[in-house]
Amino acid sequence: MLSVTEKQAIDHEIALVPYKKASVIEALKIVQQHRGWISDESVEEIAAYLEISPAEVDSVATFYNLIFRKPVGRHVILLCDSISCYVMGYPRLHKLLEDKLHIRMGGTTADNRFTLLPNVCLGCCDHAPALMIDKDLYRDVEPALLDDILKKYE
Amino acid sequence: MERPLTRNIHPDRPALNLKEYEMTGGYTALRKVCSGMTPAALQKLVQDSNLKGRGGAGFNTGIKWSLIPMGEEAASPKYLICNADEMEPGTFKDRLLLEGNPHQLIEGMILAAYAIQANISYVFLRWAYHKAADLIRKSIQEAYDAGYLGKDILGSGFHLDMHLHTGVGRYMCGEETALLNALEGKRATPRAKPPFPQISGLFGKPTIVNNVETLCCVPHIVNNGIEWFKGLSYSEDGGTKLYGVSGKVKRPGVWELPMGVTMRELIEEHAGGMKDGVELKGVLPGGASTDFLTTQHLDIKMDYKSVAAAGSRLGTGTMIVMDSGTCPVGFVHNLQHFFAQESCGWCTPCREGLPWVEKLLLSLEKGEGKKEDIELLDMHTQLLGPGSTFCALAPGAMEPLQSALKYFRDDFEKHIEHKKCPYD
Ligand SMILES: Cc1cc2nc3c(=O)[nH]c(=O)nc-3n(C[C@H](O)[C@H](O)[C@H](O)COP(=O)(O)O)c2cc1C
Ligand code: SF4
Ligand code: FES
């Protein structure tokens, strides 16, 4: 069941658009904010609330890469794998992160602390290579800085 | 040298709040327009200034606006949308404007909305720009409180609401008709044109989508006039331009400069030249979906016409430099991986072709390529070129590939001869 807070936030979005269905992306964002990811149950609950089919909600949920259809760790690392970062050292960071966290790209650490995901250009190519952890952007990431950065996230 | 768009942006200081923006002359353009300029006159002013869209295609902004139905009979509400999706790899210019001076953008949006008499506006912002999201949310509220947004703006009778929409990923959200679908809560697949968004856009109503940098120019044109705006430029396209350089240069960055500075000036002066130990090999002048230029093109002007005459596109004006130590095959493979991943899957050539291109490049890069692979790549640049696909993503993807095959063909061939990457 959608919580009262979730419903209120979704209602606020519905009021801004001509018909309910148009707020499905906002609804997914809201539910993900509260639950960390979008489960099959969440898809069904959103569908029921917006009066559309679960398949319709899922077609949208699976299209956008920052809607997570699988559980993620407490912190999500988005590593830029686009061109300027590629030139400036992304491949090394990629390997180092996988080794340090003992996971592959797309994986979550056993202690559920981090999920590692590739991401397109983060819009700070003049400070490549770049990565984001949750809402924090890190620029000019030297391999030697990685440990200190990761330490901040428990 | 004047830098109207970035004059009040200091990356080490917080962005201007409403009061500070007003002290630098902010919202005087809106006052001027609200005290008696007609929407038609504003459209004409912008058209005559020769402001060209900074989102990549370079279409005259005033002409784009003039295709909107006006008058009592026109469908309503009309929409004005700011495209702040900035996800083209190698592009980081709109971020500066969004984080540096949000009220400049908001004033530009109100003016653009007035010109087309739109009553609802959206900032479509990419998810990753959290700082910009906070600033824009706060600035929109300040503008409402000051009476620059909402009902009867400055007594003009004009009414405008503004909302922030943050995306949830996908490069395709930047394509203007896919953006409209995303705003309607659908997958970001493009729409057939015609009808053009000016006639049937968001929720089927007349809509204009403009880039952040385009909109930020508008208050300055209103304040200072057409001749001034044209005079900022070294070429026939009006205004200044935000140019960026990334890659192995000494000082990567973004600078507001007269439209039409040369590639050489950008790389050698502003970016400080190449890092020690590497040389310049190629340049994507305006983001990942523009054709390579090489050292022979250093003296061309970075304006729409000159870059096109050299066989590429100005695109977003943020260039990516490829150095002599970077393998062109690996470089292009990285680009094609991006495009294949971001294809929305709507049309067959792009959905099927791009992953194949990516695979061919990967096998070449690993030293497992065959002679025929290069011909297959050539063939794809035709099959996925302009006219064969539903939107510009696939043709854009083919631009760096076709030009790499032209300028760096021997690098592709060496991977086959030596059965390995010669740069490893
Ligand atoms: C795949 C694709 C992605 C695009 N991404 C952006 C973008 O992030 N920002 C942008 O302003 N324009 C982007 N564009 C261009 C827009 O479709 C549109 O032309 C532009 O927003 C119009 O604004 P302008 O007239 O002010 O340049 C993209 C185009 C394509 C084909
Ligand atoms: S060209 Fe690619 S991105 Fe564009 S509509 Fe076709 S499949 Fe989608
Ligand atoms: S390519 Fe990594 S931030 Fe742009």
Side-chain angles (χ1 to χ4, degrees):
Chain A
M1 275 271 289
L2 295 175
S3 70
V4 176
T5 350
E6 285 169 338
K7 280 185 187 164
Q8 277 172 349
I10 296 172
D11 287 343
H12 178 79
E13 297 300 333
I14 291 175
L16 294 176
V17 284
Y19 40 87
K20 275 188 182 182
K21 179 179 149 174
S23 49
V24 58
I25 296 177
E26 296 300 331
L28 286 162
K29 273 170 22 188
I30 290 163
V31 173
Q32 177 163 295
Q33 210 176 7
H34 284 90
R35 309 181 183 182
W37 65 294
I38 300 293
S39 65
D40 291 350
E41 292 71 36
S42 301
V43 166
E44 281 167 22
E45 287 163 19
I46 292 170
Y49 199 66
L50 299 181
E51 297 173 328
I52 50 179
S53 74
E56 241 177 308
V57 175
D58 207 14
S59 80
V60 173
T62 51
F63 185 87
Y64 294 100
N65 57 305
L66 295 166
I67 296 294
F68 305 134
R69 281 294 272 112
K70 279 194 221 164
V72 290
R74 291 193 295 285
H75 306 287
V76 177
I77 305 177
L78 298 176
L79 179 62
C80 174
D81 67 353
S82 289
I83 192 64
S84 309
C85 291
Y86 169 81
V87 170
M88 300 305 288
Y90 149 79
R92 241 182 103 201
L93 280 184
H94 175 187
K95 177 147 195 325
L96 262 172
L97 276 169
E98 287 188 339
D99 289 351
K100 274 185 200 297
L101 302 172
H102 307 290
I103 47 172
R104 298 304 231 167
M105 200 50 107
T108 299
T109 54
D111 59 1
N112 209 34
R113 190 169 151 218
F114 288 115
T115 295
L116 177 62
L117 297 173
N119 202 80
V120 302
C121 177
L122 291 168
C124 58
C125 328
D126 50 344
H127 291 279
L131 59 83
M132 269 181 101
I133 304 185
D134 303 336
K135 287 187 173 184
D136 308 325
L137 176 67
Y138 293 93
R139 321 185 304 167
D140 299 307
V141 182
E142 295 282 333
L145 299 174
L146 270 184
D147 283 335
D148 282 339
I149 294 175
L150 295 177
K151 243 194 294 183
K152 294 191 212 166
Y153 300 89
E154 266 319 309
Chain B
M1 199 157 59
E2 283 189 89
R3 298 184 296 118
L5 267 54
T6 57
R7 186 176 55 214
N8 296 307
I9 296 180
H10 305 279
D12 43 348
R13 268 193 266 149
L16 304 185
N17 61 26
L18 181 82
K19 281 263 136 20
E20 291 162 340
Y21 179 66
E22 284 173 331
M23 262 150 45
T24 64
Y27 291 106
T28 50
L30 182 62
R31 285 180 194 283
K32 189 165 167 183
V33 164
C34 285
S35 62
M37 196 170 190
T38 63
L42 180 52
Q43 287 187 10
K44 179 84 171 47
L45 181 82
V46 171
Q47 179 176 335
D48 291 344
S49 76
N50 208 6
L51 168 64
K52 290 190 174 165
R54 307 293 199 238
F59 193 75
N60 179 301
T61 304
I63 296 181
K64 184 167 170 170
W65 293 355
S66 72
L67 302 173
I68 280 273
M70 299 294 285
E72 304 271 295
E73 316 271 276
S76 83
K78 291 186 260 186
Y79 293 94
L80 182 274
I81 297 167
C82 168
N83 190 344
D85 194 54
E86 189 156 75
M87 253 193 257
E88 174 87 10
T91 302
F92 48 98
K93 66 176 183 75
D94 295 340
R95 179 199 279 275
L96 181 74
L97 297 170
L98 291 159
E99 291 181 355
N101 199 351
H103 277 292
Q104 174 175 253
L105 172 65
I106 291 171
E107 186 179 8
M109 287 179 68
I110 303 171
L111 291 167
Y114 181 87
I116 61 166
Q117 293 289 295
N119 296 121
I120 304 181
S121 58
Y122 282 94
V123 179
F124 190 104
L125 182 72
R126 70 173 295 191
W127 175 88
Y129 286 4
H130 294 290
K131 183 176 168 192
D134 292 343
L135 277 167
I136 287 173
R137 219 174 268 124
K138 179 178 140 257
S139 305
I140 289 177
Q141 191 53 51
E142 285 180 329
Y144 267 107
D145 295 343
Y148 298 135
L149 282 171
K151 294 211 160 56
D152 192 21
I153 295 170
L154 300 175
S156 63
F158 174 60
H159 164 228
L160 179 67
D161 279 312
M162 190 176 288
H163 311 289
L164 172 69
H165 174 97
T166 54
V168 270
R170 296 306 289 242
Y171 172 56
M172 270 303 288
C173 292
E175 197 280 336
E176 65 182 10
T177 61
L179 182 153
L180 299 176
N181 278 341
L183 267 181
E184 291 183 9
K186 299 176 185 154
R187 288 184 286 159
T189 52
R191 298 178 178 176
K193 292 193 257 192
F196 287 89
Q198 285 99 326
I199 307 300
S200 174
L202 189 63
F203 300 115
K205 305 293 185 191
T207 303
I208 286 286
V209 180
N210 272 135
N211 173 259
V212 174
E213 187 183 349
T214 312
L215 291 162
C216 287
C217 291
V218 178
H220 302 288
I221 297 171
V222 171
N223 279 330
N224 302 302
I226 297 166
E227 290 315 315
W228 169 86
F229 190 71
K230 286 185 173 166
L232 295 171
S233 161
Y234 289 163
S235 79
E236 64 183 52
D237 308 323
T240 56
K241 178 79 193 79
L242 263 65
Y243 291 106
V245 181
S246 68
K248 288 198 179 147
V249 291
K250 290 205 176 102
R251 289 192 305 273
V254 51
W255 310 274
E256 182 182 7
L257 296 166
M259 174 70 84
V261 295
T262 64
M263 207 153 86
R264 185 186 299 283
E265 178 181 333
L266 275 169
I267 298 174
E268 294 180 0
E269 285 179 37
H270 301 284
M274 299 301 290
K275 282 193 181 215
D276 296 332
V278 290
E279 281 166 39
L280 180 78
K281 183 157 172 131
V283 174
L284 301 178
S289 49
T290 58
D291 277 279
F292 274 103
L293 296 177
T294 72
T295 45
Q296 80 208 56
H297 302 110
L298 278 172
D299 291 311
I300 66 153
K301 283 183 170 186
M302 290 282 287
D303 62 35
Y304 295 98
K305 228 185 197 169
S306 314
V307 182
S312 186
R313 285 188 307 120
L314 178 61
T316 61
T318 41
M319 59 168 72
I320 307 148
V321 167
M322 185 174 77
D323 58 278
S324 53
T326 298
C327 171
V329 177
F331 189 102
V332 176
H333 171 255
N334 176 277
L335 297 174
Q336 299 306 322
H337 166 73
F338 165 82
F339 289 115
Q341 172 186 299
E342 295 302 316
S343 164
C344 77
W346 188 253
C347 63
T348 314
C350 172
R351 182 184 63 239
E352 302 292 323
L354 286 176
W356 196 6
V357 166
E358 185 190 349
K359 270 188 211 150
L360 287 168
L361 288 164
L362 183 64
S363 74
L364 275 172
E365 179 65 358
K366 284 177 160 170
E368 295 161 4
K370 299 185 283 293
K371 257 224 129 55
E372 308 85 83
D373 292 348
I374 297 187
E375 285 152 35
L376 275 172
L377 288 173
D378 282 331
M379 192 176 90
H380 275 86
T381 63
Q382 299 296 319
L383 292 174
L384 303 191
S388 312
T389 60
F390 210 76
C391 86
L393 182 137
M398 291 304 102
E399 292 183 20
L401 176 62
Q402 72 194 8
S403 46
L405 287 163
K406 175 171 156 197
Y407 294 119
F408 315 120
R409 203 172 188 90
D410 54 330
D411 282 303
F412 285 76
E413 285 161 353
K414 271 188 210 147
H415 281 74
I416 300 170
E417 277 162 39
H418 302 313
K419 293 198 168 29
K420 72 182 202 43
C421 173
Y423 290 79
D424 273 349

